[in-house]
Amino acid sequence: MPAPKSPSAPPPATPNGEIAPERSPSPSRPQIALQQSSHQNKKGSFISTKLFRRVRSVFKSFPIVSTPCKMPIPINGGRPHDGHHIHGGKQMTGTLFGYRKARVNLAIQENPRCLPLLVLELSINTGKLLHEMGLGLVRIALECEKHHPSEKIKLIDEPIWTMYCNGKKVGYAVKREPTEDDLNVIQMLHAASVGAGVLPIDHTSAGESSSDGGELTYMRACFERVVGSRDSETYYMMNPDGRNSGPELSIFFVRV
């Protein structure tokens, strides 16, 4: 004879004696299934979280001084490749994402299904950058100082950058290790090669980052990566229609 089932516990009651409604479970986060990039070594090229926090606390305390950008930027507004592929350039995936009132993040991947090669926190909020892109032309220059010739550090492994937007200094950018939230965003977008929009937010795990930051917005595009030397790289955003219509975005990395 089967044992009788024990009755399930009744739902908790409110102070007024009413039965409290059951809460629906929070939406589950996507399972991370991103692939290792061919350019990432097994030991990992990201700086540690502890080091990132120290660098971040330091760069946020730096004063912002409006100085001219040392990076030579083309005077004409057109793309250097006129909407076509640059000879010798490599196609990469770039994603700008963040809460509208918070700092924007930049993730660079070999393709949408790979782990990011680089994650940068830029010193401009997402809403401001989207507004600038809506005006048409945005050129971001990221500069850092050269090291002693004996120090062999890859350009994308530099931890901190001075950031210029359209020739005006706007603060600093910091390389950081991708967080769980970063990987969740990239995982949700793994099937998209280009696009822009608003991502759903899991408020139970988003924490303080979403409490006053507004919507989590993103913009993903294909970029043409051109390596000038060991001290300079440029990423040109490619419009999906292959024409010069729409916003233009170029990102310059340079050691000076």
Side-chain angles (χ1 to χ4, degrees), residues 90-217:
K90 181 177 180 180
Q91 185 170 315
M92 309 287 284
T93 296
T95 309
L96 294 161
F97 63 95
Y99 297 98
R100 282 190 172 272
K101 299 179 183 179
R103 295 174 185 267
V104 66
N105 304 289
L106 169 66
I108 301 293
Q109 302 164 262
E110 276 192 344
N111 61 66
R113 291 176 172 79
C114 280
L115 289 166
L117 292 168
L118 175 67
V119 176
L120 284 178
E121 181 179 329
L122 307 180
S123 57
I124 185 171
N125 67 50
T126 308
K128 174 66 174 176
L129 181 60
L130 293 177
H131 173 74
E132 292 290 334
M133 292 194 65
L135 300 178
L137 177 66
V138 175
R139 298 190 187 278
I140 295 175
L142 301 171
E143 295 182 354
C144 67
E145 294 184 359
K146 284 186 179 180
H147 303 281
H148 189 274
S150 62
E151 297 184 54
K152 297 182 179 180
I153 301 177
K154 291 183 179 180
L155 190 62
I156 63 171
D157 287 337
E158 293 287 353
I160 188 167
W161 304 81
T162 303
M163 178 177 170
Y164 299 85
C165 185
N166 288 342
K168 182 179 179 182
K169 186 175 180 180
V170 294
Y172 298 88
V174 169
K175 177 183 177 178
R176 61 177 171 79
E177 184 178 358
T179 64
E180 183 182 356
D181 289 336
D182 297 333
L183 296 178
N184 284 326
V185 169
I186 295 172
Q187 179 63 45
M188 283 191 286
L189 298 174
H190 76 281
S193 56
V194 296
V198 179
L199 293 174
I201 304 172
D202 181 1
H203 292 280
T204 61
S205 57
E208 297 179 357
S209 59
S210 64
S211 59
D212 58 355
E215 298 175 328
L216 179 59
T217 59

